[in-house]
């Protein structure tokens, strides 16, 4: 039940996230004007992180159900620290908003993916099944959406 709910959330979230991941810059420019294209690039970078937050949020209740609140606290503390470190490194060393957002997104992806895998392990699903299942679905969906972008952008389709 938990794994099927998890997979359903993953598939539901992939549709809008794939669109934002592949066409965020174009969508933002179209809706808000050309000056907003950079915001669309930021949305593209953050989209995978948001997908993982979307699918992990309902699962996080299992920390309480499985009496693992301490692990949940450590997870939240670790992700909080990683966010601060990402923002500081990006701002102080790279002085680039895009790199800062990339660092923020990557740290979020790592921690939220770990969160998903850990919670699924609590309910008896192996690390490899949840990790490879999640990554393969995300990679395939985003690859297809990027191919569609390529075909559209180069007037092949």
């Amino acid at each position: 039940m938990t794994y099927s709910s998890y997979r359903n959330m993953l598939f539901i979230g992939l549709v809008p996230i794939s669109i934002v991941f592949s066409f965020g810059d174009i969508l933002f420019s179209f809706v808000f004007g050309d000056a907003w294209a950079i915001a669309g690039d930021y949305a593209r970078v953050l989209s995978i992180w948001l997908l993982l937050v979307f699918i992990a949020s309902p699962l996080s209740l299992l920390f309480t159900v499985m009496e693992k609140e301490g692990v949940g606290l450590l997870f939240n503390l670790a992700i909080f620290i990683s966010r601060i470190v990402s923002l500081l490194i990006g701002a102080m060393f790279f002085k680039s908003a895009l790199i800062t957002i990339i660092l923020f997104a990557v740290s979020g992806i790592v921690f939220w993916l770990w969160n998903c895998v850990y919670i699924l392990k609590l309910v008896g699903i192996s690390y490899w099944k949840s990790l490879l299942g999640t990554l393969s679905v995300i990679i395939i969906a985003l690859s297809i959406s990027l191919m569609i972008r390529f075909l559209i952008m180069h007037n092949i389709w």
Side-chain angles (χ1 to χ4, degrees):
M1 175 67 175
T2 301
Y3 190 67
S4 65
S5 298
Y6 173 79
R7 296 279 292 184
N8 289 340
M9 293 292 289
L10 178 60
F11 287 120
I12 291 168
L14 271 173
V15 174
I17 292 302
S18 294
I19 293 169
V20 172
F21 181 79
S22 296
F23 300 102
D25 53 339
I26 298 167
L27 291 172
F28 275 62
S29 293
F30 178 74
V31 173
F32 302 114
D34 290 337
W36 284 82
I38 190 73
D41 287 332
Y42 297 160
R44 293 179 71 197
V45 170
L46 292 170
S47 62
I48 299 170
W49 165 67
L50 288 173
L51 172 64
L52 291 169
V53 171
F54 173 74
I55 61 177
S57 292
L59 292 178
S60 62
L61 292 173
L62 290 174
F63 281 126
T64 304
V65 172
M66 304 295 281
E67 297 181 354
K68 297 287 186 182
E69 293 92 347
V71 176
L73 174 65
L74 290 175
F75 165 75
N76 283 307
L77 183 61
I79 199 163
F80 175 71
I81 291 169
S82 76
R83 288 174 177 168
I84 291 173
V85 169
S86 298
L87 294 173
L88 289 174
I89 290 172
M92 294 173 69
F93 294 109
F94 294 104
K95 297 179 180 15
S96 163
L98 183 60
I99 292 176
T100 302
I101 291 171
I102 290 170
L103 291 172
F104 185 88
V106 168
S107 70
I109 289 167
V110 168
F111 278 98
W112 283 102
L113 185 59
W114 172 85
N115 187 34
C116 292
V117 170
Y118 180 81
I119 291 173
L120 291 172
K121 178 66 176 167
L122 288 177
V123 296
I125 297 157
S126 75
Y127 289 124
W128 290 112
K129 180 179 180 179
S130 56
L131 181 63
L132 294 177
T134 302
L135 290 178
S136 63
V137 169
I138 291 172
I139 290 169
I140 290 168
L142 296 182
S143 296
I144 291 169
S145 66
L146 284 175
M147 284 190 276
I148 293 170
R149 177 190 169 105
F150 177 82
L151 294 173
I152 291 172
M153 298 301 291
H154 290 88
N155 295 321
I156 297 171
W157 196 344

